[in-house]
Amino acid sequence: MSTEFLTTHEVADLLRIKLRKVYELASTHEIPSVKAKGKLLFPRQDILAWLQHGKQLESTSKLNHTPPPVLAGSYDPLLEWAIKASGCDLALKLAGSQSGLDEFVAGQAQACGLHLAEPLSGSLGWNHKTVANQAGLQNAVLVNWAWRNRGFVMLSGKTQPFRDVSQLKGLRLVRRPDGSGTQVLMDWLLQQNGLKPTDVQWSEVCHGETDAVACITSGEADVALGLQAMAAQYGLGFVPCLKERFDLLVHRKAWFDPHFQKLWQFTRGEFFVQKSKQLQGYDLAQQSQVIWNA
């Protein structure tokens, strides 16, 4: 009988619950059980099948769950404008790439914007490796939004003598949150050019692109690693450094919902293309290209 039936103690150990909870489940018939000569027993095969059924229900629930219509992650001027202009009704919760990825994995956002630099033997990759190695990530697709010109933003009169990263030594740099896409990239650029973090002066932490350019216009810092689009918008000087890939990680089911279909349809129009040119620093040649599919 011991091979065919489990005792209350064995079920409690198997389910990692208290004995009282086992009796409660049995009394409400939520778990398979029988009584033999006044003793409560649990058919082993029925208990295993009950457990497997519960796992399948949980898995199905996760697959069918669609997160709220929120776009988290990093900020992009063109994306913010397109969401508002298209009327797609996606809410914005922009607090950085890593924060957005965490919210996406937790099921708190339908999408997140990413520009996470991935150093690869002296060169850079973007986003792919990070999302592919992210634990708990499923039912998602990574698509390109745009390539963006990133470089050094400063007051317009200061750009002429500035040639490369090595000239940052001794200057006051805008600091972004640790782990953010911009700060990871800045740390990599310093390292590649033989500079240590202590070779520059850092401002207080700025949590977004707008805060970063405000730090320059107020005179609190000399240089920010920023976007050409932001420099143009605020009349600041810009020295290009590289192109970065900005991607959207989107919940696969949400991709077919009206929110994203309306946004993506809007990007096909001439109005959107003209706006990207007006903002400056965007390359849309690979937009909507699938980078990775979970």
Side-chain angles (χ1 to χ4, degrees):
M1 180 177 291
S2 61
T3 60
E4 296 180 11
F5 293 90
L6 300 173
T7 66
T8 50
H9 286 278
E10 288 171 332
V11 171
D13 289 341
L14 179 64
L15 302 182
R16 297 181 181 179
I17 58 177
K18 296 183 181 297
L19 277 175
R20 182 164 50 177
K21 185 62 177 177
V22 176
Y23 286 114
E24 180 183 323
L25 291 172
S27 66
T28 56
H29 306 290
E30 295 180 58
I31 188 172
S33 63
V34 296
K35 274 192 176 182
K37 297 182 179 180
K39 186 177 182 180
L40 194 59
L41 296 173
F42 303 84
R44 180 186 295 273
Q45 294 303 318
D46 290 349
I47 291 295
L48 294 177
W50 178 79
L51 279 174
Q52 185 60 37
H53 179 64
K55 290 180 180 178
Q56 289 174 350
L57 287 178
E58 181 181 5
S59 176
T60 300
S61 176
K62 288 181 178 178
L63 287 174
N64 290 333
H65 169 69
T66 302
V70 172
L71 190 146
S74 190
Y75 173 75
D76 178 71
L78 181 61
L79 178 60
E80 180 187 47
W81 172 82
I83 286 174
K84 293 176 179 178
S86 67
C88 68
D89 292 329
L90 280 170
L92 293 173
K93 189 178 180 181
L94 307 177
S97 294
Q98 188 57 57
S99 173
L101 183 56
D102 292 341
E103 293 207 34
F104 183 89
V105 173
Q108 297 170 2
Q110 287 187 357
C112 67
L114 302 173
H115 66 112
L116 292 167
E118 299 168 344
L120 303 168
S121 303
S123 62
L124 286 177
W126 302 96
N127 307 318
H128 186 175
K129 181 179 176 183
T130 302
V131 298
N133 294 333
Q134 174 67 52
L137 185 59
Q138 59 179 343
N139 225 19
V141 60
L142 184 71
V143 298
N144 178 246
W145 172 253
W147 284 87
R148 315 187 298 185
N149 287 347
R150 187 169 284 278
F152 299 106
V153 177
M154 58 194 78
L155 295 177
S156 57
K158 303 289 184 68
T159 59
Q160 191 62 32
F162 192 91
R163 295 185 302 275
D164 55 48
V165 179
S166 63
Q167 291 183 294
L168 292 174
K169 188 170 184 178
L171 296 182
R172 298 173 300 163
L173 265 63
V174 171
R175 183 163 191 86
R176 302 293 294 276
D178 290 338
S180 66
T182 302
Q183 192 60 42
V184 169
L185 179 57
M186 186 72 256
D187 292 342
W188 182 84
L189 287 170
L190 292 176
Q191 182 184 42
Q192 290 297 301
N193 286 271
L195 295 178
K196 301 186 293 295
T198 53
D199 288 332
V200 300
Q201 302 175 55
W202 295 100
S203 73
E204 293 185 4
V205 175
C206 293
H207 291 276
E209 297 289 339
T210 303
D211 289 343
V213 295
C215 197
I216 299 299
T217 58
S218 66
E220 297 175 48
D222 301 311
V223 181
L225 182 60
L227 297 171
Q228 182 178 357
M230 295 298 292
Q233 182 178 341
Y234 287 87
L236 295 170
F238 180 77
V239 178
C241 180
L242 50 76
K243 282 190 174 184
E244 67 174 11
R245 200 181 74 217
F246 189 94
D247 297 328
L248 294 179
L249 184 65
V250 185
H251 188 277
R252 188 181 289 113
K253 186 178 179 182
W255 178 267
F256 298 100
D257 285 352
H259 301 289
F260 272 96
Q261 287 300 302
K262 193 170 186 178
L263 173 63
W264 228 251
Q265 186 63 34
F266 179 75
T267 66
R268 302 289 189 270
E270 185 61 26
F271 187 35
F272 174 80
V273 175
Q274 290 303 317
K275 184 66 175 182
S276 71
K277 294 177 180 178
Q278 177 189 338
L279 286 175
Q280 300 182 29
Y282 285 97
D283 180 352
L284 304 179
Q286 295 181 356
Q287 190 182 65
S288 78
Q289 178 179 312
V290 175
I291 308 298
W292 175 84
N293 202 338

